[in-house]
Amino acid sequence: MSHARPEPDVPSTASGQVPTPRQSGQGHEGTEHLTAPHAEPHRAQRLPALFATLGLALLCLGGFVFTLTNFFGAMWVFPTETLAAAVVLAVAGVFGFWVLRRIRPVRPPSFTFSLLAVLWGLTGAIGLSLFSNTQLMSAWSRLGGVEFGSAWGAALTAPLNEELLKTAGVVLIAVMAARVVRGPVDGFVMGALVGLGFQLAEDFTYALNSIMMQGATDGVASVLQTLFLRVGLTGLGSHWAMSAIAGTAVGLLAASAWRPSPGRATGALLLFLLAIGVHWLFDAPLLEGILGVLFKTLVVFLSALAVYFVARHAHRRRVRESLAEQGEELGMLRSAAVTLASRHGRHRELGRVAAPERPAVRERQDRMVAAAEERASEYRV
């Protein structure tokens, strides 16, 4: 889509100062989109959003109560070990939260909904998974025998149950706030944050279980050893990576307003199956031993990394295209407009203007980037 003109109405600039939008009819499309991210949602979207909000709140509460009920006894008997696990996981969680929000290109995701994604993993997803996993694990033992259930129960249960439940949180958030999950890259980040919360809760339960499994002779050592293995050794390819892949599928569907073309629906299905597949590989009693565990962790991580870079490249390309169009409408040099697609570029351009002008320039940059991401979500492949 081109809006080429012989000469711009305002002087071109290579600085970060975004020219004031034109008042004439020419180029009005660009100014309309500058306010689009703040437009009030359509009435038809409010009822589903309300039900999604209530559903997420109730499921989070129920999951928290169920998990607490199951592990309160161990927490009461081993308070020092509980505190040690909580401290280690809190540090890991804060770091993971920062990294996963940081990897979203152009701008970080909503802080509020990022926390909500982690909360779903910490409470709703983990609680529902504990309940459903218990039921299915016993079913596999009844069908195939105790030995079969013990060996293959986790691989046959967790990938399906847990990925479905974690992904449900991304779907609920996408319904609650359509602009939070507008495409694959948003789904990837929200899915990763859900997986982070799930992993923290699961690591906490494993740490408490390890105390009794190792005879409760040195509870703190048991907790720290378990957390080292689950955070330090396999954390790179854990639930955050699996859920990020599944979340990308949700973003792919959300980008088409939940009415995907056959190609997009197939792509979303394949992504979800990939998430289940790498989860199955991780839990399967195959390639055991330290090298096998490291190999499976690497496979999960590289799978998530490949999905991320594809989604990131597509998102950044579309944002740059939109910024270039806006810049042309506003009379900016293409290079000055496109550079706003990165945090570093915006910071660099801000440094080129006088300090008193920076607040206004920053605001205008934010408006252009918000409009660019709004437009980018409307592109179709």
Side-chain angles (χ1 to χ4, degrees):
M1 184 165 60
S2 174
H3 301 274
R5 295 179 285 279
E7 293 292 337
D9 296 339
V10 293
S12 296
T13 174
S15 73
Q17 187 166 357
V18 179
T20 302
R22 299 182 179 130
Q23 301 301 317
S24 65
Q26 189 175 25
H28 70 280
E29 179 183 330
T31 60
E32 285 178 354
H33 282 277
L34 291 179
T35 58
H38 306 287
E40 186 178 356
H42 192 274
R43 289 178 182 273
Q45 297 175 349
R46 293 177 183 172
L47 195 58
L50 176 61
F51 279 117
T53 303
L54 291 175
L56 189 142
L58 290 174
L59 290 171
C60 282
L61 179 61
F64 174 74
V65 171
F66 183 82
T67 306
L68 184 63
T69 301
N70 278 269
F71 289 92
F72 182 77
M75 294 165 63
W76 180 263
V77 174
F78 303 108
T80 303
E81 292 83 350
T82 298
L83 180 61
V87 169
V88 172
L89 291 173
V91 172
V94 170
F95 178 72
F97 185 77
W98 177 81
V99 170
L100 293 177
R101 293 187 73 243
R102 183 72 181 177
I103 65 173
R104 187 189 186 278
V106 187
R107 296 187 302 170
S110 161
F111 185 81
T112 299
F113 283 96
S114 296
L115 284 177
L116 197 58
V118 175
L119 180 65
W120 170 256
L122 274 170
T123 58
I126 191 70
L128 294 169
S129 292
L130 286 171
F131 175 79
S132 57
N133 285 350
T134 300
Q135 308 308 312
L136 267 181
M137 288 286 285
S138 60
W140 295 124
S141 295
R142 289 195 300 271
L143 289 173
V146 175
E147 185 176 349
F148 173 81
S150 177
W152 285 96
L156 294 174
T157 301
L160 184 59
N161 276 359
E162 293 176 2
E163 293 311 318
L164 278 172
L165 290 169
K166 288 184 294 177
T167 305
V170 184
V171 173
L172 289 172
I173 291 173
V175 175
M176 289 169 59
R179 286 194 168 88
V180 172
V181 183
R182 291 184 294 190
V185 74
D186 295 320
F188 184 95
V189 174
M190 285 295 124
L193 289 166
V194 168
L196 172 67
F198 191 96
Q199 186 68 42
L200 294 173
E202 187 177 79
D203 288 349
F204 183 76
T205 64
Y206 269 71
L208 292 182
N209 284 334
S210 71
I211 299 172
M212 294 304 298
M213 291 175 64
Q214 297 182 19
T217 55
D218 191 345
V220 173
S222 299
V223 165
L224 294 180
Q225 180 183 17
T226 300
L227 294 181
F228 171 76
L229 294 174
R230 294 186 61 83
V231 177
L233 190 64
T234 64
L236 198 63
S238 61
H239 282 285
W240 76 265
M242 304 164 188
S243 300
I245 297 171
T248 306
V250 176
L252 201 60
L253 299 177
S256 57
W258 308 103
R259 293 186 294 273
S261 64
R264 191 177 288 264
T266 301
L269 177 61
L270 291 175
L271 282 168
F272 187 69
L273 291 177
L274 175 61
I276 292 176
V278 294
H279 195 156
W280 176 86
L281 174 65
F282 192 86
D283 285 350
L286 305 171
L287 302 173
E288 296 178 330
I290 187 68
L291 291 179
V293 171
L294 289 175
F295 173 78
K296 292 191 283 189
T297 299
L298 189 61
V299 169
V300 177
F301 175 70
L302 292 179
S303 298
L305 200 63
V307 171
Y308 168 72
F309 277 118
V310 171
R312 177 180 180 271
H313 173 75
H315 184 75
R316 286 173 62 88
R317 174 176 56 81
R318 291 169 180 174
V319 168
R320 288 193 184 104
E321 290 173 359
S322 179
L323 284 170
E325 291 175 4
Q326 287 187 73
E328 189 176 1
E329 293 163 359
L330 297 172
M332 294 177 66
L333 290 175
R334 180 183 177 88
S335 59
V338 171
T339 195
L340 301 181
S342 70
R343 298 174 179 87
H344 177 71
R346 295 194 293 275
H347 181 75
R348 184 180 65 248
E349 297 299 334
L350 276 177
R352 296 179 179 178
V353 300
E357 299 178 18
R358 288 176 188 170
V361 172
R362 183 180 292 108
E363 181 181 354
R364 291 169 183 167
Q365 286 184 348
D366 290 342
R367 291 174 63 202
M368 280 193 74
V369 171
E373 291 209 288
E374 184 74 13
R375 286 186 181 184
S377 68
E378 298 170 359
Y379 280 78
R380 297 291 179 262
V381 293

